[in-house]
Amino acid sequence: MSVNLRKLEYSPTVNPLIEPQAIKVQRRYVRTRSSHDLLDPKTGEISGVATIHIVEERDDAEFVKVFADGVKAAFGLTLTGSRVFQAVLDVYQNTAMRGGYAESVELFWFDGKLDGRALDMSEKTFQRGLKELLEKGFLYPRAPSSYWVNPALFFKGDRVAFVKEYVRRRSDDDREQREAVQVDHEEA
């Protein structure tokens, strides 16, 4: 769509941008929305939120990589933890589903390979990454070499949304006032 500045349609009484918008930008959609309906359950304060939602299409390989990179960033995985997560995610993708997801994975390390696939890492390095995934709640031991998976972090769906919320830092006076309101709510 090309805008002609000499032939603009004006809206002198109503701002049409108040309504949610969806704009196609190359291989993605960008949606915007503004609201005042986010309630802080601790203080009862209602906050205004501006939302910019970007939807991008990716092929299968790109999708799995974007998903793994997003999880890595969200959970602060080390390089080793991230590499092992990617390897376990690959095993998970080939695991049969029950009830909409695969509830566990079998991780067989043999002859320097995970389930027959070379990872270019030692068994000790794999174990360090596996330990990190266990500590951060990605996996839980089910039996030797079998692990329950966290279904929020391992899935075979076709969509993922990473939500990052930015909150404006408040002054010390605002913080003290919010804490006083919180105490009042707890006492009531």
Side-chain angles (χ1 to χ4, degrees):
M1 178 175 118
S2 178
V3 173
N4 183 338
L5 294 176
R6 295 172 196 234
K7 296 182 180 180
L8 293 175
E9 290 184 30
Y10 296 99
S11 179
T13 59
V14 176
N15 181 351
L17 300 177
I18 296 291
E19 296 302 316
Q21 305 292 312
I23 301 153
K24 180 140 174 71
V25 181
Q26 295 174 356
R27 292 184 343 173
R28 64 182 183 206
Y29 286 95
V30 179
R31 296 180 184 141
T32 61
R33 182 172 165 241
S34 179
S35 70
H36 297 283
D37 57 359
L38 188 64
L39 177 68
D40 184 337
K42 293 179 183 175
T43 64
E45 179 181 359
I46 297 176
S47 302
V49 177
T51 304
I52 300 170
H53 178 198
I54 301 168
V55 179
E56 294 186 34
E57 289 183 8
R58 301 291 176 109
D59 66 25
D60 287 347
E62 285 178 308
F63 180 84
V64 172
K65 178 159 180 15
V66 167
F67 176 73
D69 288 347
V71 170
K72 173 188 173 185
F75 285 86
L77 292 178
T78 64
L79 179 59
T80 300
S82 175
R83 289 179 64 210
V84 171
F85 173 62
Q86 182 67 56
V88 174
L89 191 58
D90 291 343
V91 171
Y92 180 83
Q93 294 298 317
N94 296 316
T95 302
M97 292 193 328
R98 289 178 212 93
Y101 66 97
E103 60 186 20
S104 64
V105 289
E106 303 293 328
L107 303 177
F108 297 107
W109 183 270
F110 180 74
D111 197 26
K113 298 176 182 175
L114 178 64
D115 289 358
R117 199 183 99 207
L119 294 183
D120 194 29
M121 71 175 70
S122 69
E123 182 175 6
K124 198 81 163 157
T125 301
F126 174 77
Q127 289 174 350
R128 247 190 357 262
L130 182 60
K131 181 179 174 184
E132 183 176 354
L133 297 181
L134 290 165
E135 289 170 348
K136 293 188 175 181
F138 284 58
L139 301 170
Y140 194 89
R142 180 178 185 184
S145 74
S146 180
Y147 298 87
W148 295 109
V149 298
N150 182 334
L153 301 174
F154 291 87
F155 80 110
K156 295 183 183 192
D158 61 358
R159 293 179 170 260
V160 64
F162 293 99
V163 178
K164 189 171 189 176
E165 182 176 339
Y166 296 92
V167 179
R168 187 182 304 256
R169 187 175 295 132
R170 309 260 185 178
S171 70
D172 288 336
D173 293 339
D174 288 343
R175 193 173 295 118
E176 288 172 10
Q177 183 179 11
R178 275 198 333 242
E179 289 171 358
V181 170
Q182 183 176 351
V183 168
D184 289 343
H185 267 99
E186 290 172 358
E187 292 174 355

